Amino acid sequence: MAAGDSGGLGGYDFRYLPQKTFQCLSTPETTSRLRQWSMLGRIQAQAFGFDQNFQAHRKDDFVMAFFKDPNVIANLKLLSDSSGQWITLGTEVKKIEAINIPCTQISMSFFNRLYSEDIVRDSGHIVKCFDSFCDPFLISDELRKVLLVEDSEKYAIFSQPDREEFLFCLFKHLCLGGALCQYEDVLNPYLETTKLLYKDLVSVRKIPQTKKIQITSSVFKVTAYGSVGMCYPSTKSHEQTFSYFIVDPIRRHVHVLYHCYGVGEMS
């Protein structure tokens, strides 16, 4: 994916939408789970509106315009590597990378293969295995093995296109958690939280002729660079530090899902 620069920003203006709340991250049950997974206070969802038609083939211009907009600069949150506190961007973005993330799945049956392939028992309990490491993650069950170990026996139950799907990405991020993650013994908390997050972030419509549900959102995994290197979502690269932009071209909203891997809850 080619990185964008500051030329040809397409005339987008953005506005922060603080009234948009993401219930998926604030219910007592989800809060408890995120604390257990060492993600509470380190994961954030924000909403912004924009004023022009979104064109997927010009996503680089869209993302660069986003980072240049004063309303974004003043309100987009990230965690400071130095202080560990929530801050706003405060850095001029010189270059961006926006990777297309497929978003086509409309059913959690996508994960049924975890049962049929004996990764998870019929009771919902995740099958354990001998401890091993896939740096920096401890692998103590078959679920994390399927997620991380490419030469494991059942890694192929999810194809590469499956693994690129936004639904799978969310599920994997929640399963791996933060730096002090306490893993679940059963699958359901991961599935429930993934479903809530997906439904809150992704927009759909029903096609009148067929009555089928169609996803209308476009999803990108976004990284931004300043004059001295990567500045967003962090200055330190990690698989569990990420920012996804979920663009609703009909409502003209962009949802930003952010997480920074690290130790401790941030207020």
Side-chain angles (χ1 to χ4, degrees), residues 44-195:
Q44 177 84 234
Q46 294 180 276
F48 295 83
F50 54 93
D51 66 337
Q52 303 289 328
N53 289 333
F54 172 75
Q55 299 173 305
H57 68 281
R58 297 186 63 207
K59 68 182 186 308
D60 287 1
D61 291 341
F62 177 87
V63 174
M64 181 58 84
F66 179 87
F67 282 110
K68 296 288 188 181
D69 191 279
N71 288 318
V72 172
I73 293 170
N75 291 288
L76 182 67
K77 294 182 179 179
L78 70 157
L79 279 170
S80 166
D81 291 322
S82 57
S83 69
Q85 299 300 310
W86 286 102
I87 59 173
T88 50
L89 188 58
T91 302
E92 183 181 1
V93 170
K94 301 288 189 180
K95 185 177 71 171
I96 61 92
E97 185 178 51
I99 301 171
N100 280 307
I101 302 295
C103 187
T104 66
Q105 297 298 320
I106 59 171
S107 172
M108 295 300 289
S109 62
F110 180 77
F111 296 107
N112 286 353
R113 69 196 82 177
L114 293 172
Y115 292 91
S116 61
E117 293 291 338
D118 297 323
I119 307 300
V120 179
R121 304 188 194 283
D122 290 342
S123 64
H125 284 79
I126 301 165
V127 176
K128 300 295 183 182
C129 67
F130 291 114
D131 286 354
S132 61
F133 281 91
C134 185
D135 192 41
F137 302 106
L138 172 66
I139 297 174
S140 56
D141 59 50
E142 295 293 335
L143 176 59
R144 259 151 290 279
K145 193 184 290 186
V146 162
L147 294 176
L148 292 168
V149 184
E150 293 186 22
D151 60 358
S152 63
E153 180 184 355
K154 296 181 180 178
Y155 186 85
I157 68 170
F158 291 101
S159 67
Q160 189 56 38
D162 288 336
R163 291 172 181 273
E164 293 169 359
E165 281 282 340
F166 187 46
L167 184 64
F168 184 92
C169 293
L170 289 178
F171 176 75
K172 181 178 178 180
H173 286 311
L174 293 175
C175 289
L176 297 181
L180 301 175
C181 181
Q182 301 174 58
Y183 298 130
E184 299 285 348
D185 293 321
V186 294
L187 185 65
N188 199 52
Y190 296 130
L191 291 181
E192 284 187 351
T193 311
T194 299
K195 182 178 180 179

Side-chain angles (χ1 to χ4, degrees), residues 233-260:
S234 173
T235 60
K236 300 174 182 177
S237 180
H238 192 281
E239 181 178 355
Q240 286 291 88
T241 294
F242 55 80
S243 180
Y244 292 100
F245 285 22
I246 304 96
V247 181
D248 181 342
I250 298 173
R251 294 187 179 92
R252 292 183 178 176
H253 288 175
V254 54
H255 296 159
V256 179
L257 178 68
Y258 171 96
H259 177 257
C260 184

